[in-house]
Amino acid sequence: MEVQVNIVEFVVPVENNKTVFVWNIEPSQTHADIYCSLHTVFSSFGPLYLLKVCPLSPAGFYGLVKFYSASHAADAQRLTDGRSLFQSSPLKVRLSSKQTPHFMSDGRPLSHARCLELANHYLGFNGWTSDIITMKELTNEEDEEEGEVRRRLRFGCLLQLSFPHHGQTTRGAAVVEHCFTCTEGNRVTEGNGVTE
């Protein structure tokens, strides 16, 4: 028996083979109803990173559905194209043919909330746990120039993931670094935002 393995990386999906476009959506439903209908249909194939419903001129809508997995997107396209699903006329469903720009192909890490969402989808809500074993400040440096104090903080973290249903545990380590500038009056300037 051949087993198909689907590897899902915990990065923002940017590849065109993970994006599906849905056309010929009738304007007989509200924007919110169309969104719910599309979500019901396409989330049945696998977890979704993004779902958008956009108006088309002069009437109707189109949808953009982005999956974490290319195989889920391919299955969704193949099994929904030309079917009515939630309206009277058939939908046109296609995989994206747009090429991913080179600078976007590296893949940004997913936010913490998205990582939890994916882990819960694949492992079940009680299928895993994470425990911080230790967290330590590695450096706390200050440089002063032209009346501004620039601080750099670096923290390290050792984390353990446990999969109780499988009797497995694994450990991982991460280092995060954060820089900010202190000016007169205890103002902290960070990127484009200023906090008092």
Side-chain angles (χ1 to χ4, degrees):
M1 184 173 103
E2 188 175 311
V3 176
Q4 184 180 9
V5 176
N6 192 15
I7 297 175
V8 177
E9 294 184 82
F10 281 55
V11 296
V12 174
V14 295
E15 300 87 353
N16 58 344
N17 64 351
K18 295 179 180 178
T19 303
V20 172
F21 286 100
V22 184
W23 285 283
N24 296 346
I25 301 174
E26 297 172 351
S28 56
Q29 299 182 59
T30 66
H31 185 278
D33 288 339
I34 293 168
Y35 183 93
C36 287
S37 297
L38 287 173
H39 190 274
T40 300
V41 168
F42 288 99
S43 64
S44 68
F45 293 97
L48 307 179
Y49 173 74
L50 176 73
L51 172 61
K52 281 188 178 182
V53 177
C54 306
L56 267 177
S57 296
F61 296 89
Y62 74 93
L64 178 133
V65 184
K66 190 175 287 274
F67 289 88
Y68 289 101
S69 160
S71 66
H72 291 161
D75 289 346
Q77 187 279 323
R78 184 173 42 82
L79 296 171
T80 59
D81 185 40
R83 297 186 58 203
S84 301
L85 300 174
F86 56 85
Q87 61 182 28
S88 58
S89 63
L91 296 169
K92 186 187 288 186
V93 183
R94 299 285 185 267
L95 283 172
S96 173
S97 59
K98 182 180 177 183
Q99 293 301 314
T100 304
H102 176 67
F103 66 89
M104 291 180 66
S105 60
D106 293 339
R108 293 178 298 145
L110 286 177
S111 68
H112 182 256
R114 294 284 188 154
C115 289
L116 293 178
E117 182 181 285
L118 263 184
N120 287 336
H121 175 83
Y122 284 107
L123 301 171
F125 185 71
N126 292 320
W128 66 285
T129 61
S130 65
D131 299 297
I132 295 176
I133 296 169
T134 186
M135 182 177 275
K136 183 178 178 182
E137 184 177 310
L138 301 176
T139 59
N140 185 349
E141 302 169 350
E142 269 187 22
D143 294 324
E144 186 172 347
E145 55 182 65
E146 298 179 15
E148 291 185 345
V149 177
R150 184 147 179 85
R151 295 196 69 190
R152 176 179 298 172
L153 300 174
R154 183 181 291 163
F155 290 90
C157 178
L158 183 61
L159 180 82
Q160 179 168 292
L161 293 176
S162 300
F163 307 96
H165 301 305
H166 305 285
Q168 298 290 317
T169 61
T170 185
R171 289 186 175 186
V175 174
V176 65
E177 184 176 285
H178 190 69
C179 298
F180 57 92
T181 304
C182 299
T183 58
E184 289 182 40
N186 292 328
R187 291 167 58 104
V188 177
T189 307
E190 179 180 11
N192 295 329
V194 177
T195 47
E196 298 286 343

